[in-house]
Amino acid sequence: MEYSKLVESYEAVEKTQSNLEKTSILAELYSNSGEDLEDTVMLSLGRISPSWEGLDLGVSSKTLVDIIVIASGRSEKEVEEVWKTEGDLGDAAEKMMAKKTQQRLMTQKLEVSQIMERLRKVAEMEKDGISQSVNTDKKKKMIANLLSSAEPREARYLARTVLENLRIGIGEGTVRDALDEAFFDGENSEEIQRAYDMTNDFRKVAEACRAGEEDLEKLDLELFRPVKSMLAQKVETIEDGFDSVGRPAAVDFKYDGMRAQIHVKDGKVKIFTRRLENVTKQFPDVKKVIENQVECQNCIIDTEIVGMKNGEVIPFQKLSQRIKRKYDIEKLRNEIPVEVRPFDLLYREESFMNHSYEERLEALRKVVIENSDIKLADQSITSEVKDVNSLQQKALDSGHEGVMMKSLKAEYNPGSRVGYMVKLKPVMETLDLAIIGAQWSEGRKSGWLGRLKLGCWNKEEEKYEMVGRMSSGLTDAQLEEVTERLKPLIIEENGRDVELKPEVLLEVEYEEIQESPTYNSGYALRFPRLKEFRDDKDRPDSKEKVERLYESQ
Ligand code: AMP
């Protein structure tokens, strides 16, 4: 199929806000893609392969500018200027290639398969990591070559694809529905979703859709290809937890670490994150532990990797450095040692997804040989609220997040929050904070102050410091009341922003406290909500209290 056909669909999709229309445009495209369906589906998501394959193009904006320079014959300065005025490198590529078109005879038309093949080659070079500079030059030439065969409109989307940033509002749900419309008259979206959750590969799903329902149903778990992790719903009370998962339930410590789905195939190990990235290289220690302590040639276990040093939990924020780090891995491994806490098993010589959790647990106990680096998640099986309570207390006392409650009878349901597994986190202590600034709202709420800046009190420096911004979570009546109270306190207005005398205090609930590089207190509340006005107090809580709560989470 010609790339211009795909580009026409990109344009049509970009023009509409309606999801239904986007779906129809893609369905039409997929019906007409013939042999190029798999490539077309991937490219419509702006990707050349699923993320877990680790095939990234690794082209920065700066490199793309060089590529446009080579392809268009324009100067770097000119490209940068157009980029600045257009605000988007894809649009800049279009403009630059349009200038060139006037000077050349049209060559052959670009094909979808040709683009996919070339971009995959570039990504494979990147993966193999041949000498960096040779690589970059070769890479630039290969992409420039494609770009110079592109018509201006094609150049625009090609450039964005190369940057891995298509930005036209096509998500996985839209692709699923479009495949459904194209091949099953919109009757099969659940089955397509199941197939996708199982394979995380729209190429495979599309191929099966084209072949028919039977093939789609056959798509199953495969080793070294991650499945979506089963997700947890949140419950407020232990009773609600039991209502959801049944009695007795398995109750685990909820660790504050990184979800890792670990695959063993013929004794070889791969580690995937919850977002399905392959992080095996970043965790050589975990790989080794699995090689030595998991007695199974072919299996998949679901685990939490927890940062632990001298018996103390390392917060996730620190642990996450290990996920991102591509160099100095050994050094970081010593700085941030980890423990593996397995809690589920999806495969042991055959799929265990349809087995009950009870059976999966039994299989898990058989394959994992515990030692100080790998230990099954702390767990009790109980029907009693008081047992869950004491386990939760134990979890919190040892620096963990809370508990998970799990149905013993349920199967493993990838990708969904079906309530087979629920999380119970303790309610955070509230904070009393001052409103130190706000913003005049727009639209329906204009005339009211919103986006309230919340401040705590820094005792040492005797000043207010920002810890959060309350944007939602206020009813109209509350917004009106807040505005009435704040209006007389305005010190200065700057556009829509107002600075306020910090005299109105609120009791604030929130999900958690995070470190913040933007707020001057160094902390940020996640999802702050108004509990009530604190007219009885004239100073907000101190920064020390915020710090203490942060540490205790
Ligand atoms: P949340 O991220 O708040 O939705 O909570 C769900 C996450 O808790 C899972 O994705 C796991 O990464 C993590 N987790 C920690 N301990 C456990 C456990 N024992 N069982 C299941 N998930 C756990």
Side-chain angles (χ1 to χ4, degrees):
M1 189 175 72
E2 284 174 9
Y3 186 55
S4 60
K5 289 258 168 357
L6 177 55
V7 165
E8 270 167 33
S9 305
Y10 284 151
E11 285 177 332
V13 164
E14 207 168 16
K15 277 200 196 100
T16 173
Q17 294 292 321
S18 148
N19 272 332
L20 279 178
E21 231 174 287
K22 285 183 190 176
T23 308
S24 301
I25 296 163
L26 289 183
E28 169 93 22
L29 175 73
Y30 296 164
S31 310
N32 297 321
S33 319
E35 288 300 301
D36 290 323
L37 176 66
E38 291 88 330
D39 289 347
T40 305
V41 167
M42 267 341 278
L43 286 174
S44 62
L45 279 162
R47 295 201 50 94
I48 56 166
S49 87
S51 61
W52 50 266
E53 276 194 345
L55 265 190
D56 295 316
L57 288 162
V59 173
S60 64
S61 306
K62 176 75 196 62
T63 309
L64 184 57
V65 168
D66 295 347
I67 293 170
I68 299 172
V69 168
I70 303 172
S72 66
R74 298 273 144 182
S75 71
E76 185 177 328
K77 191 160 162 259
E78 204 174 343
V79 175
E80 298 231 334
E81 259 162 31
V82 178
W83 178 17
K84 209 181 269 166
T85 41
E86 296 291 324
D88 175 279
L89 256 181
D91 295 352
E94 178 175 4
K95 284 258 150 64
M96 293 290 95
M97 295 316 291
K99 289 198 171 173
K100 185 164 180 191
T101 310
Q102 293 154 7
Q103 307 161 9
R104 67 171 178 165
L105 290 169
M106 276 319 290
T107 43
Q108 259 194 329
K109 292 224 156 216
L110 274 177
E111 292 283 322
V112 164
S113 55
Q114 185 188 357
I115 288 186
M116 191 52 118
E117 196 186 326
R118 182 70 61 88
L119 293 184
R120 280 186 72 96
K121 251 196 204 136
V122 171
E124 261 147 29
M125 278 168 51
E126 176 80 13
K127 198 177 177 189
D128 293 342
I130 327 167
S131 152
Q132 271 299 315
S133 56
V134 179
N135 222 358
T136 313
D137 279 347
K138 199 160 162 210
K139 200 157 100 177
K140 283 183 194 167
K141 273 194 202 126
M142 284 168 77
I143 302 175
N145 210 307
L146 267 186
L147 201 60
S148 31
S149 318
E151 295 196 26
R153 304 154 58 203
E154 297 173 348
R156 173 179 194 198
Y157 295 99
L158 186 56
R160 290 196 196 164
T161 304
V162 166
L163 277 180
E164 294 172 330
N165 190 9
L166 192 58
R167 286 189 293 106
I168 58 172
I170 298 179
E172 293 176 349
T174 319
V175 170
R176 174 200 61 209
D177 293 346
L179 283 169
D180 193 20
E181 195 173 313
F183 298 102
F184 303 105
D185 293 330
E187 305 264 305
N188 228 347
S189 90
E190 267 182 38
E191 184 54 33
I192 300 177
Q193 184 67 46
R194 183 209 66 83
Y196 182 61
D197 287 344
M198 208 58 106
T199 59
N200 288 296
D201 191 341
F202 264 125
R203 295 168 306 194
K204 285 266 180 280
V205 174
E207 189 187 6
C209 284
R210 188 179 47 203
E213 202 163 339
E214 248 180 54
D215 282 54
L216 192 63
E217 281 166 11
K218 268 194 233 143
L219 283 183
D220 203 355
L221 187 64
E222 238 177 54
L223 293 170
F224 281 3
R225 188 179 66 191
V227 298
K228 290 243 169 80
S229 295
M230 178 155 75
L231 301 176
Q233 271 171 342
K234 190 175 173 190
V235 288
E236 299 297 335
T237 66
I238 297 171
E239 272 304 337
D240 289 352
F242 278 121
D243 286 349
S244 192
V245 303
R247 282 185 154 95
V251 187
D252 288 11
F253 274 21
K254 181 178 194 310
Y255 303 99
D256 185 18
M258 176 193 106
R259 180 87 170 254
Q261 189 180 103
I262 305 181
H263 290 226
V264 182
K265 182 179 179 184
D266 299 328
K268 296 211 168 53
V269 177
K270 280 194 186 177
I271 307 165
F272 299 100
T273 65
R274 172 160 146 183
R275 294 174 59 205
L276 312 179
E277 286 145 339
N278 181 342
V279 288
T280 317
K281 278 209 184 94
Q282 288 94 308
F283 291 93
D285 40 353
V286 173
K287 182 166 173 259
K288 189 148 208 178
V289 171
I290 301 296
E291 281 163 358
N292 295 336
Q293 306 298 126
V294 172
E295 274 199 336
C296 195
Q297 279 300 298
N298 296 290
C299 67
I300 302 176
I301 57 176
D302 203 353
T303 72
E304 188 82 355
I305 294 180
V306 190
M308 272 286 192
K309 198 166 197 175
N310 308 326
E312 297 267 327
V313 179
I314 303 173
F316 177 73
Q317 253 120 345
K318 184 121 210 267
L319 172 68
S320 66
Q321 291 178 13
R322 286 202 55 179
I323 306 171
K324 291 174 220 137
R325 188 65 75 87
K326 301 268 157 67
Y327 54 91
D328 272 352
I329 285 170
E330 283 302 319
K331 186 166 158 249
L332 208 61
R333 156 190 181 169
N334 295 329
E335 248 172 65
I336 310 173
V338 297
E339 274 176 21
V340 186
R341 310 301 308 244
F343 53 79
D344 209 334
L345 176 143
L346 285 64
Y347 193 98
R348 193 189 68 186
E349 303 306 336
E350 60 174 344
S351 174
F352 266 62
M353 307 272 278
N354 295 329
H355 291 232
S356 69
Y357 185 43
E358 236 163 7
E359 289 163 351
R360 302 199 306 275
L361 264 176
E362 197 188 313
L364 182 68
R365 288 196 198 103
K366 283 196 184 128
V367 301
V368 176
I369 320 278
E370 296 186 319
N371 70 3
S372 57
D373 297 320
I374 182 166
K375 241 172 107 211
L376 297 194
D378 287 279
Q379 186 177 71
S380 295
I381 309 268
T382 180
S383 303
E384 302 293 327
V385 171
K386 67 172 185 349
D387 293 342
V388 182
N389 242 326
S390 68
L391 201 76
Q392 179 170 37
Q393 202 48 54
K394 242 168 85 187
L396 295 173
D397 290 347
S398 346
H400 303 299
E401 271 193 331
V403 292
M404 309 286 297
M405 297 175 70
K406 302 172 182 183
S407 159
L408 286 166
K409 300 287 168 222
E411 51 195 39
Y412 194 96
N413 224 293
S416 39
R417 296 184 193 274
V418 278
Y420 294 163
M421 165 162 117
V422 298
K423 56 186 171 186
L424 191 70
K425 289 196 216 176
V427 183
M428 292 291 296
E429 197 176 320
T430 57
L431 278 168
D432 297 328
L433 299 170
I435 306 179
I436 56 179
Q439 200 176 64
W440 290 109
S441 308
E442 286 181 317
R444 186 180 72 81
K445 295 182 178 169
S446 66
W448 287 341
L449 284 165
R451 286 180 62 74
L452 311 177
K453 286 186 181 177
L454 304 171
C456 62
W457 179 244
N458 183 332
K459 278 191 214 158
E460 268 166 40
E461 297 179 31
E462 304 212 325
K463 60 173 190 180
Y464 291 87
E465 288 183 350
M466 189 162 165
V467 286
R469 190 146 212 169
M470 201 185 302
S471 297
S472 52
L474 288 166
T475 62
D476 283 1
Q478 286 171 331
L479 273 176
E480 195 165 351
E481 177 168 6
V482 165
T483 306
E484 283 316 306
R485 286 175 179 239
L486 293 180
K487 263 190 191 161
L489 304 176
I490 295 177
I491 304 171
E492 206 183 307
E493 298 202 34
N494 194 348
R496 284 165 52 212
D497 291 321
V498 301
E499 196 186 320
L500 297 161
K501 280 194 215 152
E503 289 178 11
V504 174
L505 263 67
L506 307 177
E507 183 178 356
V508 176
E509 291 175 323
Y510 52 90
E511 289 280 318
E512 64 176 328
I513 305 176
Q514 298 176 315
E515 278 186 62
S516 162
T518 32
Y519 298 154
N520 57 354
S521 69
Y523 297 97
L525 304 186
R526 246 183 110 211
F527 305 130
R529 299 175 297 273
L530 170 63
K531 189 163 181 214
E532 55 186 340
F533 289 94
R534 286 304 302 262
D535 296 323
D536 50 330
K537 262 181 108 169
D538 51 20
R539 261 283 140 75
D541 282 330
S542 65
K543 181 170 165 176
E544 283 88 88
K545 178 164 176 189
V546 176
E547 248 153 11
R548 180 173 62 69
L549 289 172
Y550 169 75
E551 297 293 342
S552 73
Q553 291 181 114

